[in-house]
PDB file of all heavy atoms in Angstrom:
ATOM      1  N   ARG O  56      68.174  -6.737  36.564  1.00 88.00           N
ATOM      2  CA  ARG O  56      67.142  -6.673  37.584  1.00 88.00           C
ATOM      3  C   ARG O  56      66.476  -8.035  37.824  1.00 88.00           C
ATOM      4  O   ARG O  56      66.220  -8.424  38.967  1.00 88.00           O
ATOM      5  CB  ARG O  56      66.074  -5.650  37.173  1.00 88.00           C
ATOM      6  CG  ARG O  56      64.857  -5.585  38.092  1.00 88.00           C
ATOM      7  CD  ARG O  56      65.223  -5.083  39.473  1.00 88.00           C
ATOM      8  NE  ARG O  56      65.762  -3.722  39.387  1.00 88.00           N
ATOM      9  CZ  ARG O  56      66.241  -3.056  40.441  1.00 88.00           C
ATOM     10  NH1 ARG O  56      66.265  -3.641  41.642  1.00 88.00           N
ATOM     11  NH2 ARG O  56      66.720  -1.827  40.298  1.00 88.00           N
ATOM     12  N   LEU O  57      66.218  -8.769  36.739  1.00 88.00           N
ATOM     13  CA  LEU O  57      65.412  -9.988  36.865  1.00 88.00           C
ATOM     14  C   LEU O  57      66.233 -11.254  37.054  1.00 88.00           C
ATOM     15  O   LEU O  57      65.729 -12.246  37.597  1.00 88.00           O
ATOM     16  CB  LEU O  57      64.510 -10.140  35.628  1.00 88.00           C
ATOM     17  CG  LEU O  57      63.491  -9.028  35.376  1.00 88.00           C
ATOM     18  CD1 LEU O  57      62.712  -9.315  34.103  1.00 88.00           C
ATOM     19  CD2 LEU O  57      62.544  -8.865  36.563  1.00 88.00           C
ATOM     20  N   TYR O  58      67.468 -11.246  36.603  1.00 87.00           N
ATOM     21  CA  TYR O  58      68.253 -12.488  36.618  1.00 87.00           C
ATOM     22  C   TYR O  58      69.590 -12.255  37.318  1.00 87.00           C
ATOM     23  O   TYR O  58      70.584 -11.906  36.675  1.00 87.00           O
ATOM     24  CB  TYR O  58      68.476 -12.989  35.188  1.00 87.00           C
ATOM     25  CG  TYR O  58      67.180 -13.250  34.447  1.00 87.00           C
ATOM     26  CD1 TYR O  58      66.731 -12.378  33.454  1.00 87.00           C
ATOM     27  CD2 TYR O  58      66.405 -14.368  34.752  1.00 87.00           C
ATOM     28  CE1 TYR O  58      65.543 -12.614  32.791  1.00 87.00           C
ATOM     29  CE2 TYR O  58      65.213 -14.614  34.085  1.00 87.00           C
ATOM     30  CZ  TYR O  58      64.782 -13.733  33.112  1.00 87.00           C
ATOM     31  OH  TYR O  58      63.604 -13.967  32.454  1.00 87.00           O
ATOM     32  N   PRO O  59      69.642 -12.457  38.631  1.00 86.00           N
ATOM     33  CA  PRO O  59      70.902 -12.295  39.368  1.00 86.00           C
ATOM     34  C   PRO O  59      71.955 -13.323  38.978  1.00 86.00           C
ATOM     35  O   PRO O  59      73.154 -13.034  39.025  1.00 86.00           O
ATOM     36  CB  PRO O  59      70.485 -12.483  40.835  1.00 86.00           C
ATOM     37  CG  PRO O  59      69.001 -12.331  40.853  1.00 86.00           C
ATOM     38  CD  PRO O  59      68.520 -12.768  39.515  1.00 86.00           C
ATOM     39  N   ASP O  60      71.508 -14.497  38.565  1.00 86.00           N
ATOM     40  CA  ASP O  60      72.446 -15.567  38.221  1.00 86.00           C
ATOM     41  C   ASP O  60      73.072 -15.290  36.850  1.00 86.00           C
ATOM     42  O   ASP O  60      72.373 -14.918  35.890  1.00 86.00           O
ATOM     43  CB  ASP O  60      71.721 -16.910  38.210  1.00 86.00           C
ATOM     44  CG  ASP O  60      72.676 -18.061  37.961  1.00 86.00           C
ATOM     45  OD1 ASP O  60      73.451 -18.399  38.868  1.00 86.00           O
ATOM     46  OD2 ASP O  60      72.650 -18.589  36.826  1.00 86.00           O
ATOM     47  N   GLN O  61      74.377 -15.483  36.735  1.00 88.00           N
ATOM     48  CA  GLN O  61      75.100 -15.200  35.498  1.00 88.00           C
ATOM     49  C   GLN O  61      74.624 -16.092  34.350  1.00 88.00           C
ATOM     50  O   GLN O  61      74.532 -15.650  33.201  1.00 88.00           O
ATOM     51  CB  GLN O  61      76.609 -15.382  35.716  1.00 88.00           C
ATOM     52  CG  GLN O  61      77.241 -14.324  36.616  1.00 88.00           C
ATOM     53  CD  GLN O  61      77.185 -12.941  35.987  1.00 88.00           C
ATOM     54  OE1 GLN O  61      77.209 -12.785  34.770  1.00 88.00           O
ATOM     55  NE2 GLN O  61      77.098 -11.919  36.832  1.00 88.00           N
ATOM     56  N   ALA O  62      74.332 -17.354  34.658  1.00 89.00           N
ATOM     57  CA  ALA O  62      73.863 -18.270  33.614  1.00 89.00           C
ATOM     58  C   ALA O  62      72.516 -17.809  33.056  1.00 89.00           C
ATOM     59  O   ALA O  62      72.271 -17.872  31.837  1.00 89.00           O
ATOM     60  CB  ALA O  62      73.761 -19.685  34.172  1.00 89.00           C
ATOM     61  N   ASP O  63      71.628 -17.335  33.935  1.00 87.00           N
ATOM     62  CA  ASP O  63      70.330 -16.839  33.470  1.00 87.00           C
ATOM     63  C   ASP O  63      70.494 -15.568  32.632  1.00 87.00           C
ATOM     64  O   ASP O  63      69.777 -15.370  31.650  1.00 87.00           O
ATOM     65  CB  ASP O  63      69.435 -16.551  34.671  1.00 87.00           C
ATOM     66  CG  ASP O  63      69.011 -17.822  35.396  1.00 87.00           C
ATOM     67  OD1 ASP O  63      69.052 -18.892  34.756  1.00 87.00           O
ATOM     68  OD2 ASP O  63      68.668 -17.740  36.589  1.00 87.00           O
ATOM     69  N   ARG O  64      71.438 -14.713  33.037  1.00 87.00           N
ATOM     70  CA  ARG O  64      71.684 -13.505  32.241  1.00 87.00           C
ATOM     71  C   ARG O  64      72.231 -13.850  30.861  1.00 87.00           C
ATOM     72  O   ARG O  64      71.841 -13.242  29.854  1.00 87.00           O
ATOM     73  CB  ARG O  64      72.676 -12.592  32.970  1.00 87.00           C
ATOM     74  CG  ARG O  64      72.120 -11.919  34.196  1.00 87.00           C
ATOM     75  CD  ARG O  64      73.132 -10.937  34.774  1.00 87.00           C
ATOM     76  NE  ARG O  64      72.662 -10.359  36.027  1.00 87.00           N
ATOM     77  CZ  ARG O  64      73.349  -9.495  36.758  1.00 87.00           C
ATOM     78  NH1 ARG O  64      74.563  -9.102  36.342  1.00 87.00           N
ATOM     79  NH2 ARG O  64      72.869  -9.027  37.888  1.00 87.00           N
ATOM     80  N   ALA O  65      73.120 -14.823  30.805  1.00 89.00           N
ATOM     81  CA  ALA O  65      73.674 -15.249  29.517  1.00 89.00           C
ATOM     82  C   ALA O  65      72.568 -15.791  28.619  1.00 89.00           C
ATOM     83  O   ALA O  65      72.516 -15.506  27.412  1.00 89.00           O
ATOM     84  CB  ALA O  65      74.766 -16.283  29.729  1.00 89.00           C
ATOM     85  N   ALA O  66      71.650 -16.579  29.230  1.00 88.00           N
ATOM     86  CA  ALA O  66      70.529 -17.116  28.457  1.00 88.00           C
ATOM     87  C   ALA O  66      69.613 -15.985  27.977  1.00 88.00           C
ATOM     88  O   ALA O  66      69.084 -16.020  26.859  1.00 88.00           O
ATOM     89  CB  ALA O  66      69.745 -18.107  29.308  1.00 88.00           C
ATOM     90  N   PHE O  67      69.433 -14.968  28.826  1.00 87.00           N
ATOM     91  CA  PHE O  67      68.627 -13.802  28.461  1.00 87.00           C
ATOM     92  C   PHE O  67      69.223 -13.109  27.235  1.00 87.00           C
ATOM     93  O   PHE O  67      68.512 -12.806  26.263  1.00 87.00           O
ATOM     94  CB  PHE O  67      68.571 -12.845  29.657  1.00 87.00           C
ATOM     95  CG  PHE O  67      67.875 -11.543  29.388  1.00 87.00           C
ATOM     96  CD1 PHE O  67      66.537 -11.386  29.675  1.00 87.00           C
ATOM     97  CD2 PHE O  67      68.574 -10.453  28.853  1.00 87.00           C
ATOM     98  CE1 PHE O  67      65.905 -10.167  29.443  1.00 87.00           C
ATOM     99  CE2 PHE O  67      67.951  -9.248  28.618  1.00 87.00           C
ATOM    100  CZ  PHE O  67      66.600  -9.104  28.906  1.00 87.00           C
ATOM    101  N   LEU O  68      70.524 -12.841  27.266  1.00 87.00           N
ATOM    102  CA  LEU O  68      71.174 -12.159  26.145  1.00 87.00           C
ATOM    103  C   LEU O  68      71.112 -12.996  24.879  1.00 87.00           C
ATOM    104  O   LEU O  68      70.861 -12.481  23.787  1.00 87.00           O
ATOM    105  CB  LEU O  68      72.630 -11.839  26.516  1.00 87.00           C
ATOM    106  CG  LEU O  68      72.829 -10.856  27.671  1.00 87.00           C
ATOM    107  CD1 LEU O  68      74.311 -10.700  27.982  1.00 87.00           C
ATOM    108  CD2 LEU O  68      72.222  -9.500  27.343  1.00 87.00           C
TER     109      LEU O  68
END
Side-chain angles (χ1 to χ4, degrees):
R56 174 66 62 184
L57 299 179
Y58 301 106
D60 184 73
Q61 291 295 330
D63 291 338
R64 289 185 185 179
F67 175 94
L68 296 177

